Amino acid sequence: MAELPEELKERFDREVNSQPVMIYMKGTPEFPMCGYSQRAAQCFQSLGVPVGHVNVLMDPEAWEGVKLYSDWPTIPQIFIGGEFVGGSSIVMEMLESGELEAKVNAAKEKAQSESTTA
Amino acid sequence: MAYTPQQLKQAIENGLPDSVAYIEDTKGTGDHFNAVVICPEFEGKSAVEQHRMVHRAMQEIIEGDLHALHLKTLTPAAAERAGYHIA
C-alpha cells in the first residue's frame, strides 16, 4: 500500500471522529500486546477517560493504512477529537504537562455540543 | 536486521542540521531504542511536526526492522531547561 485508498480514508475520517479519544494499538486497552500501546492506553485510563480502539493486530488493513493516513510510521497512534496527536511518547509528555486532560475535555465538550445540536 | 545506536545517531544528525542525538539501545537487541534529539529547527513546531522531522531523517531505518523507538524532541532552549548538557 503506497497510497491510501479513498474508502480507507473515509473509514478513518469516520472512525477518529466517532469517539473523543481513538487509539490504533496492538491489542486492546484491557489486553495490550505491546508496552508502548499499553502506556498510551494507560494515560487515558489514569484520567478516567474511556477510549475507542482499533486492534491493528486483528486488522492488517488499518495497521498499514493508518500510517499513511496520519503520515506517522509507528503504532500506537492517538487521535483526540478527530485530530492526530502523536504516539505514546508525545501522549505521555502531554499527560505530565496537563495538556492531555485539557485536550480530552475540549473534545468531549465538542462531541456533546454536536450531539445536542444535531 | 539490527541497528547500532551509532547508526541512528548518524542518520538523525546528518538529516537534521545542527542537531544532537542521544541514543540508547534499551534491550541490547538493536531494535528497541530511546532517542533524545535536540535541534534548533524544532523551534516553533508542534511535537508531531518535530517527531516527523526525525522520522524523515531516519526513514530507511524506520522502514527497516526497527521495532520500537521512544522519541523525545527538544529545542536547544528546552534542552537547557531540562538539564541536558550539549557538548
Side-chain angles (χ1 to χ4, degrees):
Chain A
M1 202 188 297
E3 215 174 291
L4 186 67
E6 190 57 32
E7 72 265 22
L8 251 181
K9 185 188 173 298
E10 282 167 16
R11 169 196 159 169
F12 291 129
D13 282 342
R14 243 192 342 268
E15 222 161 50
V16 301
N17 284 296
S18 67
Q19 310 258 356
V21 181
M22 193 70 199
I23 305 187
Y24 293 79
M25 64 183 293
K26 293 180 181 170
T28 68
E30 292 74 26
F31 296 100
M33 302 295 284
C34 158
Y36 293 87
S37 288
Q38 178 174 28
R39 269 168 268 170
Q42 274 170 353
C43 286
F44 296 99
Q45 284 162 353
S46 75
L47 294 175
V49 176
V51 298
H53 75 275
V54 170
N55 177 1
V56 299
L57 298 175
M58 305 293 284
D59 192 338
E61 189 180 64
W63 193 343
E64 285 313 307
V66 77
K67 296 178 183 177
L68 295 171
Y69 180 67
S70 56
D71 183 24
W72 193 262
T74 51
I75 302 289
Q77 298 198 4
I78 296 92
F79 294 78
I80 302 178
E83 181 199 343
F84 176 64
V85 297
S88 61
S89 39
I90 291 181
V91 166
M92 284 191 280
E93 279 176 29
M94 287 170 73
L95 177 67
E96 270 176 43
S97 71
E99 202 187 329
L100 193 66
E101 191 167 18
K103 216 173 174 67
V104 168
N105 287 339
K108 279 200 236 165
E109 274 170 34
K110 185 180 143 217
Q112 227 155 36
S113 69
E114 276 169 12
S115 66
T116 49
T117 50
Chain B
M1 172 176 173
Y3 300 96
T4 64
Q6 194 58 32
Q7 281 175 299
L8 270 73
K9 183 178 171 63
Q10 251 171 20
I12 294 169
E13 292 181 354
N14 287 344
L16 286 175
D18 301 320
S19 67
V20 182
Y22 300 94
I23 315 289
E24 180 195 7
D25 181 346
T26 53
K27 293 194 169 176
T29 50
D31 59 356
H32 290 70
F33 293 95
N34 270 345
V36 176
V37 184
I38 301 162
C39 177
E41 290 193 15
F42 292 157
E43 200 67 59
K45 299 199 167 68
S46 71
V48 168
E49 288 167 15
Q50 294 175 5
H51 281 225
R52 280 195 184 120
M53 288 165 72
V54 178
H55 296 156
R56 274 197 290 274
M58 53 185 294
Q59 189 164 12
E60 271 178 41
I61 293 173
I62 280 197
E63 285 172 0
D65 215 1
L66 190 74
H67 179 77
L69 175 70
H70 183 83
L71 181 61
K72 186 176 181 64
T73 53
L74 296 160
T75 62
E80 197 168 315
R81 281 196 300 276
Y84 287 91
H85 297 282
I86 306 168

PDB file of all heavy atoms in Angstrom, chain A residues 56-85:
ATOM      1  N   VAL A  56      -4.825  -3.228  15.739  1.00  0.00           N
ATOM      2  CA  VAL A  56      -4.261  -3.403  14.388  1.00  0.00           C
ATOM      3  C   VAL A  56      -3.773  -4.830  14.145  1.00  0.00           C
ATOM      4  O   VAL A  56      -3.621  -5.245  12.996  1.00  0.00           O
ATOM      5  CB  VAL A  56      -3.119  -2.395  14.108  1.00  0.00           C
ATOM      6  CG1 VAL A  56      -3.622  -0.961  14.187  1.00  0.00           C
ATOM      7  CG2 VAL A  56      -1.928  -2.613  15.025  1.00  0.00           C
ATOM      8  N   LEU A  57      -3.526  -5.573  15.229  1.00  0.00           N
ATOM      9  CA  LEU A  57      -3.094  -6.961  15.044  1.00  0.00           C
ATOM     10  C   LEU A  57      -4.203  -7.796  14.405  1.00  0.00           C
ATOM     11  O   LEU A  57      -3.949  -8.808  13.762  1.00  0.00           O
ATOM     12  CB  LEU A  57      -2.692  -7.579  16.388  1.00  0.00           C
ATOM     13  CG  LEU A  57      -1.505  -6.919  17.097  1.00  0.00           C
ATOM     14  CD1 LEU A  57      -1.293  -7.541  18.477  1.00  0.00           C
ATOM     15  CD2 LEU A  57      -0.239  -7.037  16.278  1.00  0.00           C
ATOM     16  N   MET A  58      -5.453  -7.345  14.613  1.00  0.00           N
ATOM     17  CA  MET A  58      -6.600  -8.056  14.046  1.00  0.00           C
ATOM     18  C   MET A  58      -7.075  -7.393  12.749  1.00  0.00           C
ATOM     19  O   MET A  58      -8.085  -7.795  12.199  1.00  0.00           O
ATOM     20  CB  MET A  58      -7.772  -8.062  15.046  1.00  0.00           C
ATOM     21  CG  MET A  58      -7.445  -8.630  16.409  1.00  0.00           C
ATOM     22  SD  MET A  58      -7.108 -10.389  16.322  1.00  0.00           S
ATOM     23  CE  MET A  58      -8.808 -10.993  16.131  1.00  0.00           C
ATOM     24  N   ASP A  59      -6.400  -6.355  12.338  1.00  0.00           N
ATOM     25  CA  ASP A  59      -6.908  -5.531  11.238  1.00  0.00           C
ATOM     26  C   ASP A  59      -5.730  -5.004  10.397  1.00  0.00           C
ATOM     27  O   ASP A  59      -5.355  -3.840  10.515  1.00  0.00           O
ATOM     28  CB  ASP A  59      -7.715  -4.369  11.847  1.00  0.00           C
ATOM     29  CG  ASP A  59      -8.533  -3.617  10.805  1.00  0.00           C
ATOM     30  OD1 ASP A  59      -8.198  -3.692   9.613  1.00  0.00           O
ATOM     31  OD2 ASP A  59      -9.499  -2.937  11.221  1.00  0.00           O
ATOM     32  N   PRO A  60      -5.121  -5.875   9.586  1.00  0.00           N
ATOM     33  CA  PRO A  60      -3.914  -5.513   8.835  1.00  0.00           C
ATOM     34  C   PRO A  60      -4.106  -4.288   7.943  1.00  0.00           C
ATOM     35  O   PRO A  60      -3.174  -3.505   7.759  1.00  0.00           O
ATOM     36  CB  PRO A  60      -3.621  -6.749   7.978  1.00  0.00           C
ATOM     37  CG  PRO A  60      -4.468  -7.839   8.515  1.00  0.00           C
ATOM     38  CD  PRO A  60      -5.571  -7.237   9.330  1.00  0.00           C
ATOM     39  N   GLU A  61      -5.334  -4.142   7.425  1.00  0.00           N
ATOM     40  CA  GLU A  61      -5.622  -3.000   6.567  1.00  0.00           C
ATOM     41  C   GLU A  61      -5.483  -1.685   7.341  1.00  0.00           C
ATOM     42  O   GLU A  61      -4.900  -0.709   6.859  1.00  0.00           O
ATOM     43  CB  GLU A  61      -7.052  -3.154   6.050  1.00  0.00           C
ATOM     44  CG  GLU A  61      -7.439  -2.176   4.988  1.00  0.00           C
ATOM     45  CD  GLU A  61      -8.883  -2.426   4.539  1.00  0.00           C
ATOM     46  OE1 GLU A  61      -9.821  -2.274   5.349  1.00  0.00           O
ATOM     47  OE2 GLU A  61      -9.038  -2.772   3.362  1.00  0.00           O
ATOM     48  N   ALA A  62      -5.986  -1.679   8.570  1.00  0.00           N
ATOM     49  CA  ALA A  62      -5.868  -0.491   9.425  1.00  0.00           C
ATOM     50  C   ALA A  62      -4.417  -0.269   9.832  1.00  0.00           C
ATOM     51  O   ALA A  62      -3.955   0.861   9.937  1.00  0.00           O
ATOM     52  CB  ALA A  62      -6.743  -0.637  10.663  1.00  0.00           C
ATOM     53  N   TRP A  63      -3.691  -1.348  10.073  1.00  0.00           N
ATOM     54  CA  TRP A  63      -2.289  -1.273  10.505  1.00  0.00           C
ATOM     55  C   TRP A  63      -1.470  -0.487   9.476  1.00  0.00           C
ATOM     56  O   TRP A  63      -0.770   0.466   9.819  1.00  0.00           O
ATOM     57  CB  TRP A  63      -1.728  -2.694  10.674  1.00  0.00           C
ATOM     58  CG  TRP A  63      -0.416  -2.767  11.392  1.00  0.00           C
ATOM     59  CD1 TRP A  63       0.464  -1.748  11.622  1.00  0.00           C
ATOM     60  CD2 TRP A  63       0.154  -3.932  11.993  1.00  0.00           C
ATOM     61  NE1 TRP A  63       1.553  -2.223  12.329  1.00  0.00           N
ATOM     62  CE2 TRP A  63       1.392  -3.550  12.559  1.00  0.00           C
ATOM     63  CE3 TRP A  63      -0.252  -5.268  12.099  1.00  0.00           C
ATOM     64  CZ2 TRP A  63       2.219  -4.471  13.228  1.00  0.00           C
ATOM     65  CZ3 TRP A  63       0.575  -6.175  12.753  1.00  0.00           C
ATOM     66  CH2 TRP A  63       1.784  -5.771  13.322  1.00  0.00           C
ATOM     67  N   GLU A  64      -1.549  -0.895   8.231  1.00  0.00           N
ATOM     68  CA  GLU A  64      -0.788  -0.193   7.190  1.00  0.00           C
ATOM     69  C   GLU A  64      -1.435   1.151   6.844  1.00  0.00           C
ATOM     70  O   GLU A  64      -0.756   2.138   6.612  1.00  0.00           O
ATOM     71  CB  GLU A  64      -0.691  -1.063   5.923  1.00  0.00           C
ATOM     72  CG  GLU A  64       0.291  -2.210   6.058  1.00  0.00           C
ATOM     73  CD  GLU A  64       1.629  -1.785   6.650  1.00  0.00           C
ATOM     74  OE1 GLU A  64       2.230  -0.822   6.119  1.00  0.00           O
ATOM     75  OE2 GLU A  64       2.062  -2.387   7.652  1.00  0.00           O
ATOM     76  N   GLY A  65      -2.769   1.150   6.805  1.00  0.00           N
ATOM     77  CA  GLY A  65      -3.485   2.332   6.342  1.00  0.00           C
ATOM     78  C   GLY A  65      -3.343   3.528   7.250  1.00  0.00           C
ATOM     79  O   GLY A  65      -3.158   4.660   6.790  1.00  0.00           O
ATOM     80  N   VAL A  66      -3.381   3.297   8.565  1.00  0.00           N
ATOM     81  CA  VAL A  66      -3.372   4.446   9.483  1.00  0.00           C
ATOM     82  C   VAL A  66      -2.020   5.164   9.428  1.00  0.00           C
ATOM     83  O   VAL A  66      -1.929   6.374   9.653  1.00  0.00           O
ATOM     84  CB  VAL A  66      -3.750   4.005  10.922  1.00  0.00           C
ATOM     85  CG1 VAL A  66      -2.594   3.319  11.626  1.00  0.00           C
ATOM     86  CG2 VAL A  66      -4.240   5.200  11.739  1.00  0.00           C
ATOM     87  N   LYS A  67      -0.969   4.424   9.085  1.00  0.00           N
ATOM     88  CA  LYS A  67       0.357   5.046   8.956  1.00  0.00           C
ATOM     89  C   LYS A  67       0.369   6.058   7.816  1.00  0.00           C
ATOM     90  O   LYS A  67       1.010   7.108   7.901  1.00  0.00           O
ATOM     91  CB  LYS A  67       1.428   3.986   8.718  1.00  0.00           C
ATOM     92  CG  LYS A  67       1.614   3.018   9.870  1.00  0.00           C
ATOM     93  CD  LYS A  67       2.672   1.977   9.519  1.00  0.00           C
ATOM     94  CE  LYS A  67       2.819   0.946  10.623  1.00  0.00           C
ATOM     95  NZ  LYS A  67       3.797  -0.089  10.251  1.00  0.00           N
ATOM     96  N   LEU A  68      -0.337   5.722   6.743  1.00  0.00           N
ATOM     97  CA  LEU A  68      -0.422   6.646   5.604  1.00  0.00           C
ATOM     98  C   LEU A  68      -1.370   7.797   5.936  1.00  0.00           C
ATOM     99  O   LEU A  68      -1.130   8.948   5.579  1.00  0.00           O
ATOM    100  CB  LEU A  68      -0.924   5.913   4.363  1.00  0.00           C
ATOM    101  CG  LEU A  68      -0.014   4.826   3.796  1.00  0.00           C
ATOM    102  CD1 LEU A  68      -0.731   4.046   2.715  1.00  0.00           C
ATOM    103  CD2 LEU A  68       1.267   5.435   3.248  1.00  0.00           C
ATOM    104  N   TYR A  69      -2.449   7.446   6.630  1.00  0.00           N
ATOM    105  CA  TYR A  69      -3.474   8.440   6.949  1.00  0.00           C
ATOM    106  C   TYR A  69      -2.885   9.591   7.765  1.00  0.00           C
ATOM    107  O   TYR A  69      -3.179  10.762   7.521  1.00  0.00           O
ATOM    108  CB  TYR A  69      -4.591   7.747   7.726  1.00  0.00           C
ATOM    109  CG  TYR A  69      -5.737   8.622   8.142  1.00  0.00           C
ATOM    110  CD1 TYR A  69      -6.592   9.170   7.192  1.00  0.00           C
ATOM    111  CD2 TYR A  69      -5.991   8.879   9.482  1.00  0.00           C
ATOM    112  CE1 TYR A  69      -7.659   9.964   7.568  1.00  0.00           C
ATOM    113  CE2 TYR A  69      -7.057   9.668   9.875  1.00  0.00           C
ATOM    114  CZ  TYR A  69      -7.880  10.210   8.913  1.00  0.00           C
ATOM    115  OH  TYR A  69      -8.945  10.997   9.291  1.00  0.00           O
ATOM    116  N   SER A  70      -2.031   9.246   8.733  1.00  0.00           N
ATOM    117  CA  SER A  70      -1.515  10.270   9.642  1.00  0.00           C
ATOM    118  C   SER A  70      -0.078  10.672   9.319  1.00  0.00           C
ATOM    119  O   SER A  70       0.477  11.517  10.011  1.00  0.00           O
ATOM    120  CB  SER A  70      -1.584   9.753  11.076  1.00  0.00           C
ATOM    121  OG  SER A  70      -0.876   8.540  11.148  1.00  0.00           O
ATOM    122  N   ASP A  71       0.534  10.043   8.292  1.00  0.00           N
ATOM    123  CA  ASP A  71       1.946  10.295   7.982  1.00  0.00           C
ATOM    124  C   ASP A  71       2.798  10.082   9.231  1.00  0.00           C
ATOM    125  O   ASP A  71       3.543  10.948   9.672  1.00  0.00           O
ATOM    126  CB  ASP A  71       2.121  11.716   7.418  1.00  0.00           C
ATOM    127  CG  ASP A  71       3.569  11.993   7.006  1.00  0.00           C
ATOM    128  OD1 ASP A  71       4.299  11.024   6.725  1.00  0.00           O
ATOM    129  OD2 ASP A  71       3.963  13.175   6.983  1.00  0.00           O
ATOM    130  N   TRP A  72       2.682   8.897   9.808  1.00  0.00           N
ATOM    131  CA  TRP A  72       3.356   8.560  11.060  1.00  0.00           C
ATOM    132  C   TRP A  72       3.718   7.079  10.983  1.00  0.00           C
ATOM    133  O   TRP A  72       2.838   6.265  10.674  1.00  0.00           O
ATOM    134  CB  TRP A  72       2.396   8.820  12.229  1.00  0.00           C
ATOM    135  CG  TRP A  72       3.005   8.828  13.585  1.00  0.00           C
ATOM    136  CD1 TRP A  72       3.021   7.797  14.488  1.00  0.00           C
ATOM    137  CD2 TRP A  72       3.677   9.924  14.218  1.00  0.00           C
ATOM    138  NE1 TRP A  72       3.652   8.200  15.633  1.00  0.00           N
ATOM    139  CE2 TRP A  72       4.071   9.486  15.507  1.00  0.00           C
ATOM    140  CE3 TRP A  72       3.999  11.225  13.827  1.00  0.00           C
ATOM    141  CZ2 TRP A  72       4.755  10.310  16.400  1.00  0.00           C
ATOM    142  CZ3 TRP A  72       4.668  12.036  14.712  1.00  0.00           C
ATOM    143  CH2 TRP A  72       5.047  11.584  15.989  1.00  0.00           C
ATOM    144  N   PRO A  73       4.986   6.707  11.259  1.00  0.00           N
ATOM    145  CA  PRO A  73       5.413   5.348  10.908  1.00  0.00           C
ATOM    146  C   PRO A  73       5.156   4.273  11.952  1.00  0.00           C
ATOM    147  O   PRO A  73       5.395   3.103  11.675  1.00  0.00           O
ATOM    148  CB  PRO A  73       6.926   5.512  10.707  1.00  0.00           C
ATOM    149  CG  PRO A  73       7.299   6.628  11.628  1.00  0.00           C
ATOM    150  CD  PRO A  73       6.107   7.547  11.701  1.00  0.00           C
ATOM    151  N   THR A  74       4.712   4.646  13.154  1.00  0.00           N
ATOM    152  CA  THR A  74       4.652   3.639  14.218  1.00  0.00           C
ATOM    153  C   THR A  74       3.263   3.539  14.840  1.00  0.00           C
ATOM    154  O   THR A  74       2.421   4.409  14.688  1.00  0.00           O
ATOM    155  CB  THR A  74       5.677   3.982  15.334  1.00  0.00           C
ATOM    156  OG1 THR A  74       5.493   5.354  15.726  1.00  0.00           O
ATOM    157  CG2 THR A  74       7.099   3.808  14.839  1.00  0.00           C
ATOM    158  N   ILE A  75       3.048   2.430  15.552  1.00  0.00           N
ATOM    159  CA  ILE A  75       1.842   2.172  16.340  1.00  0.00           C
ATOM    160  C   ILE A  75       2.291   2.189  17.800  1.00  0.00           C
ATOM    161  O   ILE A  75       3.360   1.651  18.075  1.00  0.00           O
ATOM    162  CB  ILE A  75       1.263   0.775  15.988  1.00  0.00           C
ATOM    163  CG1 ILE A  75       0.945   0.654  14.503  1.00  0.00           C
ATOM    164  CG2 ILE A  75       0.060   0.438  16.857  1.00  0.00           C
ATOM    165  CD1 ILE A  75      -0.237   1.463  14.007  1.00  0.00           C
ATOM    166  N   PRO A  76       1.574   2.731  18.759  1.00  0.00           N
ATOM    167  CA  PRO A  76       0.202   3.246  18.672  1.00  0.00           C
ATOM    168  C   PRO A  76       0.114   4.643  18.052  1.00  0.00           C
ATOM    169  O   PRO A  76       1.098   5.360  17.958  1.00  0.00           O
ATOM    170  CB  PRO A  76      -0.203   3.308  20.144  1.00  0.00           C
ATOM    171  CG  PRO A  76       1.060   3.611  20.866  1.00  0.00           C
ATOM    172  CD  PRO A  76       2.110   2.822  20.122  1.00  0.00           C
ATOM    173  N   GLN A  77      -1.108   4.962  17.628  1.00  0.00           N
ATOM    174  CA  GLN A  77      -1.420   6.305  17.152  1.00  0.00           C
ATOM    175  C   GLN A  77      -2.681   6.782  17.866  1.00  0.00           C
ATOM    176  O   GLN A  77      -3.651   6.044  17.979  1.00  0.00           O
ATOM    177  CB  GLN A  77      -1.671   6.285  15.646  1.00  0.00           C
ATOM    178  CG  GLN A  77      -0.434   5.838  14.872  1.00  0.00           C
ATOM    179  CD  GLN A  77      -0.500   6.202  13.415  1.00  0.00           C
ATOM    180  OE1 GLN A  77      -1.436   6.868  12.967  1.00  0.00           O
ATOM    181  NE2 GLN A  77       0.479   5.754  12.656  1.00  0.00           N
ATOM    182  N   ILE A  78      -2.638   8.018  18.319  1.00  0.00           N
ATOM    183  CA  ILE A  78      -3.724   8.537  19.153  1.00  0.00           C
ATOM    184  C   ILE A  78      -4.380   9.731  18.473  1.00  0.00           C
ATOM    185  O   ILE A  78      -3.681  10.646  18.004  1.00  0.00           O
ATOM    186  CB  ILE A  78      -3.185   8.940  20.552  1.00  0.00           C
ATOM    187  CG1 ILE A  78      -2.667   7.702  21.300  1.00  0.00           C
ATOM    188  CG2 ILE A  78      -4.286   9.591  21.380  1.00  0.00           C
ATOM    189  CD1 ILE A  78      -1.218   7.408  21.120  1.00  0.00           C
ATOM    190  N   PHE A  79      -5.703   9.693  18.427  1.00  0.00           N
ATOM    191  CA  PHE A  79      -6.490  10.805  17.884  1.00  0.00           C
ATOM    192  C   PHE A  79      -7.408  11.330  18.978  1.00  0.00           C
ATOM    193  O   PHE A  79      -8.089  10.555  19.652  1.00  0.00           O
ATOM    194  CB  PHE A  79      -7.348  10.341  16.706  1.00  0.00           C
ATOM    195  CG  PHE A  79      -6.546   9.922  15.499  1.00  0.00           C
ATOM    196  CD1 PHE A  79      -5.928   8.677  15.455  1.00  0.00           C
ATOM    197  CD2 PHE A  79      -6.400  10.772  14.414  1.00  0.00           C
ATOM    198  CE1 PHE A  79      -5.185   8.289  14.351  1.00  0.00           C
ATOM    199  CE2 PHE A  79      -5.663  10.393  13.301  1.00  0.00           C
ATOM    200  CZ  PHE A  79      -5.049   9.152  13.270  1.00  0.00           C
ATOM    201  N   ILE A  80      -7.415  12.648  19.167  1.00  0.00           N
ATOM    202  CA  ILE A  80      -8.316  13.265  20.147  1.00  0.00           C
ATOM    203  C   ILE A  80      -9.195  14.268  19.408  1.00  0.00           C
ATOM    204  O   ILE A  80      -8.686  15.167  18.741  1.00  0.00           O
ATOM    205  CB  ILE A  80      -7.541  13.962  21.278  1.00  0.00           C
ATOM    206  CG1 ILE A  80      -6.624  12.952  21.989  1.00  0.00           C
ATOM    207  CG2 ILE A  80      -8.515  14.594  22.285  1.00  0.00           C
ATOM    208  CD1 ILE A  80      -5.770  13.551  23.088  1.00  0.00           C
ATOM    209  N   GLY A  81     -10.513  14.086  19.522  1.00  0.00           N
ATOM    210  CA  GLY A  81     -11.435  14.969  18.810  1.00  0.00           C
ATOM    211  C   GLY A  81     -11.182  14.950  17.304  1.00  0.00           C
ATOM    212  O   GLY A  81     -11.351  15.963  16.630  1.00  0.00           O
ATOM    213  N   GLY A  82     -10.784  13.800  16.786  1.00  0.00           N
ATOM    214  CA  GLY A  82     -10.549  13.664  15.348  1.00  0.00           C
ATOM    215  C   GLY A  82      -9.177  14.125  14.898  1.00  0.00           C
ATOM    216  O   GLY A  82      -8.794  13.922  13.754  1.00  0.00           O
ATOM    217  N   GLU A  83      -8.404  14.708  15.831  1.00  0.00           N
ATOM    218  CA  GLU A  83      -7.102  15.260  15.444  1.00  0.00           C
ATOM    219  C   GLU A  83      -5.982  14.307  15.860  1.00  0.00           C
ATOM    220  O   GLU A  83      -5.970  13.801  16.987  1.00  0.00           O
ATOM    221  CB  GLU A  83      -6.906  16.621  16.142  1.00  0.00           C
ATOM    222  CG  GLU A  83      -5.609  17.316  15.807  1.00  0.00           C
ATOM    223  CD  GLU A  83      -5.238  18.390  16.839  1.00  0.00           C
ATOM    224  OE1 GLU A  83      -6.127  18.801  17.619  1.00  0.00           O
ATOM    225  OE2 GLU A  83      -4.074  18.791  16.877  1.00  0.00           O
ATOM    226  N   PHE A  84      -5.040  14.064  14.954  1.00  0.00           N
ATOM    227  CA  PHE A  84      -3.899  13.213  15.274  1.00  0.00           C
ATOM    228  C   PHE A  84      -2.976  13.940  16.241  1.00  0.00           C
ATOM    229  O   PHE A  84      -2.562  15.063  15.968  1.00  0.00           O
ATOM    230  CB  PHE A  84      -3.138  12.858  13.995  1.00  0.00           C
ATOM    231  CG  PHE A  84      -1.900  12.053  14.249  1.00  0.00           C
ATOM    232  CD1 PHE A  84      -1.989  10.776  14.799  1.00  0.00           C
ATOM    233  CD2 PHE A  84      -0.646  12.558  13.961  1.00  0.00           C
ATOM    234  CE1 PHE A  84      -0.855  10.022  15.054  1.00  0.00           C
ATOM    235  CE2 PHE A  84       0.503  11.809  14.213  1.00  0.00           C
ATOM    236  CZ  PHE A  84       0.397  10.545  14.753  1.00  0.00           C
ATOM    237  N   VAL A  85      -2.677  13.317  17.397  1.00  0.00           N
ATOM    238  CA  VAL A  85      -1.805  13.997  18.363  1.00  0.00           C
ATOM    239  C   VAL A  85      -0.437  13.337  18.494  1.00  0.00           C
ATOM    240  O   VAL A  85       0.472  13.939  19.060  1.00  0.00           O
ATOM    241  CB  VAL A  85      -2.445  14.134  19.761  1.00  0.00           C
ATOM    242  CG1 VAL A  85      -3.678  15.000  19.701  1.00  0.00           C
ATOM    243  CG2 VAL A  85      -2.750  12.786  20.371  1.00  0.00           C
TER     244      VAL A  85
END
